[in-house]
Amino acid sequence: MIILSASDVSLSFGTDVVLDRISLGIQENDKIGIVGVNGAGKSLFMKILAGRVAQSEGDVFLAKGMNIGYLEQNTGLDSDKEMFEEMCNAFPKLLEAEKRLSELEQLMNESHDSDKHMSLAKEYTTLEDAFKREGGYEFRSRISSMLTGLGFEKETHTRTINTLSGGQKTRLAIARLLLSEPDILMLDEPTNHLDIETVEWLEEYLKNYKKSLVVISHDRYFLDKVTKKTFEIENHEGKLYNTSYTEYVKQKEIDRKIDQKHYELQQKEIARLEAFIENQRRWNRERNIIAAESRMKAIDRMEKIEKPKNLPSNIRFRFQMSENGRCPDKMLEVTGLSKGYPGKQLFENVSFLLHGRDKMFILGQNGVGKSTMLKILCGKVGQDFGTFEYASGLAIGYYDQEHQGLDGNNTVIDELWDCFPNKTQTEIRSVLGGFLFTSEDVFKKIDVLSGGEKARLTFAKLMLEKSDLLILDEPTNHLDTPSREVLENALSEYDGTVLCVSHDRYFVKKLASRIFEMREDGTFDFKGGYEDFCSYKDKKKGTENEKTPGQGSVTNSQIDYEKSKELKNRRKSAERKLAETEKKISETESKIEENQKKQEECASDYEQISKLFSELSELNDTLERLYETWDELQTILDEK
């Protein structure tokens, strides 16, 4: 049964069309994910479904008796009430019944009239049965469980809401909405501001949600876990796929190939008929004219297949190492690092050694100091105790999720040009074009840019910097799914080292060679990918006794396993890099031989000799660096 439907819904602002004749039917117990690039109109479409925005054309129908619970992106509660008290307001009927039951108890205790007492007792019994049936004796425990699941410890449940951070208020708004259990639950980017543990809790809750769910998200892991249908908004149009996200991606590619093939076959047939018509007209006899007209009618009768529309533009870039290309085995050594604020200790005694070409991801709950530690390592914040030391000569690039490195008063083009004044305007605009800043967009003030636009501009700067070590703080925030995939590919192909904080499990799964978990009771350094890390933790839950708090406190057998895993991963990476390096050495040596031959051939041409000699010097420097890299990789492979 369809409980909410949109029929031929369009939305325009002046001449700008946002949505064009979109239709969608939502059935009971549907779990639908809405996907599309940033700016496609996903949030506006959800607001139309929820009755928050009026469509320009089309109809929206909500079945009688059905109610909608809607939460906008990054919208939190704003109240001077305590958290638990505000959550109780999600159950107004139960609170009212609870109050009435209390009144009836008091009246019965005060009444000495048997008839009146009997009447009060009857009302009390009827009301209590309904109260019990509706969960009146469990709703407070449900509230407590919900708050704990969304990351609010029990001792914080009495905190006043207006003392919470923006992210905490958003989580609280999610909690209240979930508690109200609407017939159709609509969530716009609900995983923003949630750590991995809380997202996993939310996934389990929504998987078991007995009513309908419509969710907008760029979290591919989350969509696969929670949704069973995918509604794509692209090029102002909508299309429903009866699959989860991963299967939708595959089906979309198949559908595009089929549509393209049908279009090409029809165009080929039209071209054949038009050629026949042209030939008949040349003869210009009656029977030829009749034949030509017959083919013309055949073309007119065809139901024309439209050419598949181009996919939305996407960013394009790649990361490169510095000219020196430094990637030693000992990239960064952190020893006993600690940081805290009055009344709050973030972390203490954090130590690790970052190896060259590691892709190490730092995971942990919100509030354990992951981003703060990166800021310390980048010199943005000072530590309380401990030290850290980089290998000499490293070029380090830092991505700040808050984009504090951008000057809000600058235009987009000036921001990039100020950092790289030696580049021409054409070069700067070409780079910006790769990050979807075209035409007049380059003259926008940074203060008016969206979060996604600021992220793209920050990546443009980071790409041009050419770094040996990339330190990234939540780099997928504000990026749509296609942009996240481009970033994943750029980091996969990057030859340098990566140190990254992220809550995007799909992103971590694809890239991580090492997981460093920060917890309130210490840290855990796992030498392996995300799936192995999850598997290891699942096994440990069932086999380990309570550990002594501390950094990486594991058994000897676990340490042996981790060392073996680390060596295996490092050797595997080194073998791949060694093959690539040997190929580059061979190519460089060939270029040196070719250069020397050219010098012999034009010994009397001073200008040409000078140019060739300069090139030879650069080639020899490159060869020397390649041999250094070869030695480093060979050392790793010789490890026992």
Side-chain angles (χ1 to χ4, degrees):
M1 173 186 168
I2 292 179
I3 56 176
L4 176 63
S5 66
S7 178
D8 291 332
V9 164
S10 298
L11 181 66
S12 302
F13 297 104
T15 58
D16 294 332
V17 176
V18 181
L19 306 172
D20 186 19
R21 299 178 65 81
I22 289 181
S23 297
L24 173 65
I26 299 170
Q27 301 186 39
E28 288 182 291
N29 305 317
D30 260 351
K31 300 257 192 317
I32 301 175
I34 299 181
V35 300
V37 300
N38 287 341
K42 304 184 297 296
S43 295
L44 285 169
F45 182 62
M46 181 176 276
K47 287 178 180 178
I48 290 172
L49 291 175
R52 304 296 181 91
V53 169
Q55 65 272 24
S56 304
E57 296 179 21
D59 298 304
V60 176
F61 168 76
L62 177 66
K64 187 176 180 180
M66 294 291 164
N67 68 307
I68 295 173
Y70 168 66
L71 184 71
E72 289 188 64
Q73 183 178 345
N74 300 329
T75 298
L77 292 177
D78 188 15
S79 170
D80 58 0
K81 295 179 181 177
E82 292 182 357
M83 289 167 55
F84 198 89
E85 180 187 2
E86 181 62 41
M87 293 301 100
C88 287
N89 290 333
F91 302 92
K93 291 182 179 179
L94 292 178
L95 289 176
E96 186 180 338
E98 194 175 54
K99 182 181 177 182
R100 180 57 181 163
L101 286 171
S102 179
E103 291 173 352
L104 289 170
E105 283 180 3
Q106 186 174 351
L107 290 171
M108 284 190 293
N109 289 332
E110 296 172 353
S111 175
H112 300 293
D113 185 323
S114 60
D115 291 339
K116 185 177 180 181
H117 191 282
M118 185 69 71
S119 175
L120 291 170
K122 185 177 180 181
E123 182 185 351
Y124 183 92
T125 302
T126 303
L127 184 58
E128 188 192 32
D129 287 344
F131 182 73
K132 184 178 181 179
R133 191 168 55 250
E134 295 296 323
Y137 292 113
E138 295 89 30
F139 78 96
R140 282 185 171 79
S141 61
R142 282 181 57 202
I143 290 171
S144 182
S145 176
M146 179 75 69
L147 290 174
T148 302
L150 282 168
F152 296 102
E153 297 300 328
K154 193 166 185 177
E155 57 269 21
T156 68
H157 293 183
T158 55
R159 274 186 65 181
T160 305
I161 292 171
N162 55 21
T163 66
L164 302 177
S165 68
Q168 289 172 320
K169 288 179 180 178
T170 299
R171 280 189 280 143
L172 201 60
I174 293 174
R176 171 158 178 169
L177 188 60
L178 295 180
L179 286 166
S180 67
E181 294 189 344
D183 298 305
I184 306 170
L185 179 61
M186 294 187 178
L187 303 174
D188 191 351
E189 292 287 359
T191 61
N192 284 359
H193 308 295
L194 302 185
D195 54 40
I196 289 176
E197 186 175 319
T198 309
V199 171
E200 289 174 343
W201 178 91
L202 182 61
E203 282 173 353
E204 285 302 311
Y205 185 92
L206 295 178
K207 274 170 60 179
N208 297 314
Y209 191 66
K210 301 300 182 184
K211 300 176 182 180
S212 299
L213 169 71
V214 182
V215 59
I216 296 172
S217 181
H218 293 301
D219 187 330
R220 294 155 288 178
Y221 234 98
F222 177 79
L223 288 171
D224 272 338
K225 289 276 189 178
V226 170
T227 64
K228 296 178 181 178
K229 296 180 180 179
T230 304
F231 187 72
E232 178 193 62
I233 299 179
E234 184 176 276
N235 293 320
H236 316 301
E237 299 175 350
K239 184 174 181 179
L240 180 66
Y241 294 80
N242 290 309
T243 62
S244 61
Y245 177 80
T246 297
E247 293 304 314
Y248 137 77
V249 172
K250 296 175 184 176
Q251 190 60 50
K252 178 183 177 180
E253 185 176 357
I254 293 170
D255 289 350
R256 281 189 65 83
K257 288 180 179 178
I258 292 171
D259 292 345
Q260 182 67 30
K261 189 67 175 177
H262 286 169
Y263 171 77
E264 290 171 357
L265 288 173
Q266 187 179 73
Q267 291 301 303
K268 186 176 180 180
E269 175 63 10
I270 290 172
R272 185 188 70 80
L273 292 173
E274 287 176 341
F276 177 85
I277 292 167
E278 184 63 27
N279 283 332
Q280 293 300 312
R281 283 175 174 168
R282 284 176 187 162
W283 289 99
N284 202 28
R285 295 174 183 168
E286 185 177 353
R287 66 179 182 181
N288 300 115
I289 292 172
I290 292 171
E293 289 176 349
S294 173
R295 298 307 189 277
M296 280 294 295
K297 289 178 182 177
I299 293 175
D300 292 338
R301 284 194 301 268
M302 280 185 184
E303 185 176 340
K304 301 299 187 295
I305 299 173
E306 289 188 14
K307 183 179 180 181
K309 293 181 179 179
N310 293 330
L311 295 173
S313 299
N314 200 8
I315 59 174
R316 57 185 188 279
F317 69 99
R318 61 191 297 262
F319 293 116
Q320 293 178 297
M321 295 178 68
S322 68
E323 299 300 327
N324 294 327
R326 296 282 293 139
C327 203
D329 183 58
K330 188 176 177 180
M331 292 285 288
L332 167 65
E333 185 171 15
V334 175
T335 307
L337 212 60
S338 299
K339 180 66 178 178
Y341 296 101
K344 172 68 175 177
Q345 182 68 37
L346 290 178
F347 56 83
E348 54 186 348
N349 198 31
V350 171
S351 300
F352 62 84
L353 176 63
L354 184 67
H355 302 289
R357 295 188 173 85
D358 268 353
K359 286 185 171 60
M360 185 167 110
F361 279 72
I362 301 174
L363 307 184
Q365 291 183 343
N366 289 336
V368 296
K370 304 183 297 298
S371 295
T372 301
M373 187 175 71
L374 293 192
K375 289 177 180 177
I376 291 172
L377 297 178
C378 293
K380 308 292 183 182
V381 174
Q383 70 269 37
D384 295 339
F385 304 101
T387 61
F388 59 93
E389 183 180 3
Y390 290 100
S392 62
L394 286 183
I396 301 170
Y398 172 54
Y399 178 91
D400 174 13
Q401 64 165 314
E402 298 166 353
H403 310 301
Q404 292 181 350
L406 301 177
D407 183 349
N409 294 317
N410 259 345
T411 62
V412 170
I413 191 169
D414 285 341
E415 179 70 21
L416 206 58
W417 218 344
D418 287 349
C419 296
F420 304 96
N422 294 328
K423 292 195 175 292
T424 66
Q425 182 179 13
T426 301
E427 288 174 325
I428 292 292
R429 292 201 68 149
S430 176
V431 170
L432 290 173
F435 288 87
L436 307 184
F437 292 104
T438 58
S439 187
E440 297 301 309
D441 290 342
V442 301
F443 301 115
K444 282 183 178 179
K445 281 287 188 76
I446 289 174
D447 271 345
V448 304
L449 297 182
S450 67
E453 289 171 323
K454 288 178 180 177
R456 286 188 266 124
L457 181 57
T458 304
F459 277 121
K461 292 173 68 174
L462 197 61
M463 181 189 75
L464 291 176
E465 285 173 3
K466 296 185 178 179
S467 307
D468 303 317
L469 169 62
L470 290 174
I471 298 179
L472 310 174
D473 188 9
E474 294 288 2
T476 60
N477 278 5
H478 307 295
L479 295 183
D480 55 31
T481 302
S483 297
R484 292 182 187 203
E485 291 171 351
V486 171
L487 175 60
E488 287 166 359
N489 292 334
L491 289 172
S492 293
E493 296 169 2
Y494 174 56
D495 288 333
T497 306
V498 176
L499 179 63
C500 180
V501 168
S502 180
H503 291 141
D504 186 334
R505 291 161 297 167
Y506 200 101
F507 183 71
V508 177
K509 173 187 170 184
K510 187 165 183 179
L511 294 170
S513 64
R514 180 176 169 189
I515 303 294
F516 190 80
E517 185 182 30
M518 294 179 66
R519 306 181 302 237
E520 289 185 356
D521 64 346
T523 63
F524 176 55
D525 192 351
F526 183 86
K527 312 302 192 302
Y530 182 68
E531 288 185 317
D532 287 338
F533 170 73
C534 293
S535 176
Y536 173 76
K537 288 194 74 175
D538 287 342
K539 289 178 182 177
K540 188 174 68 170
K541 281 180 183 178
T543 58
E544 271 197 346
N545 294 324
E546 194 69 29
K547 297 192 306 180
T548 303
Q551 178 161 324
S553 48
V554 294
T555 64
N556 289 334
S557 61
Q558 291 163 359
I559 292 171
D560 292 340
Y561 168 79
E562 290 154 19
K563 286 182 177 179
S564 173
K565 190 75 176 177
E566 177 188 12
L567 181 59
K568 180 181 177 182
N569 285 328
R570 291 181 65 203
R571 285 179 64 87
K572 185 177 179 181
S573 176
E575 286 172 356
R576 179 174 61 83
K577 297 293 184 184
L578 188 66
E580 294 173 0
T581 303
E582 288 175 344
K583 182 180 178 182
K584 291 177 182 177
I585 288 173
S586 177
E587 291 172 351
T588 305
E589 288 177 338
S590 297
K591 289 178 181 178
I592 288 172
E593 290 179 12
E594 186 180 345
N595 182 286
Q596 290 170 339
K597 287 179 183 178
K598 287 181 180 178
Q599 287 190 42
E600 292 174 4
E601 292 171 359
C602 57
S604 59
D605 188 338
Y606 174 76
E607 288 187 7
Q608 184 67 9
I609 283 289
S610 177
K611 182 180 177 183
L612 288 168
F613 186 79
S614 177
E615 289 176 357
L616 181 62
S617 178
E618 291 179 3
L619 287 168
N620 282 326
D621 288 343
T622 300
L623 187 62
E624 185 177 347
R625 289 198 300 270
L626 287 168
Y627 274 122
E628 286 179 4
T629 302
W630 189 91
D631 286 337
E632 292 171 358
L633 293 168
Q634 195 62 54
T635 300
I636 294 173
L637 291 174
D638 290 339
E639 288 181 8
K640 301 295 184 183

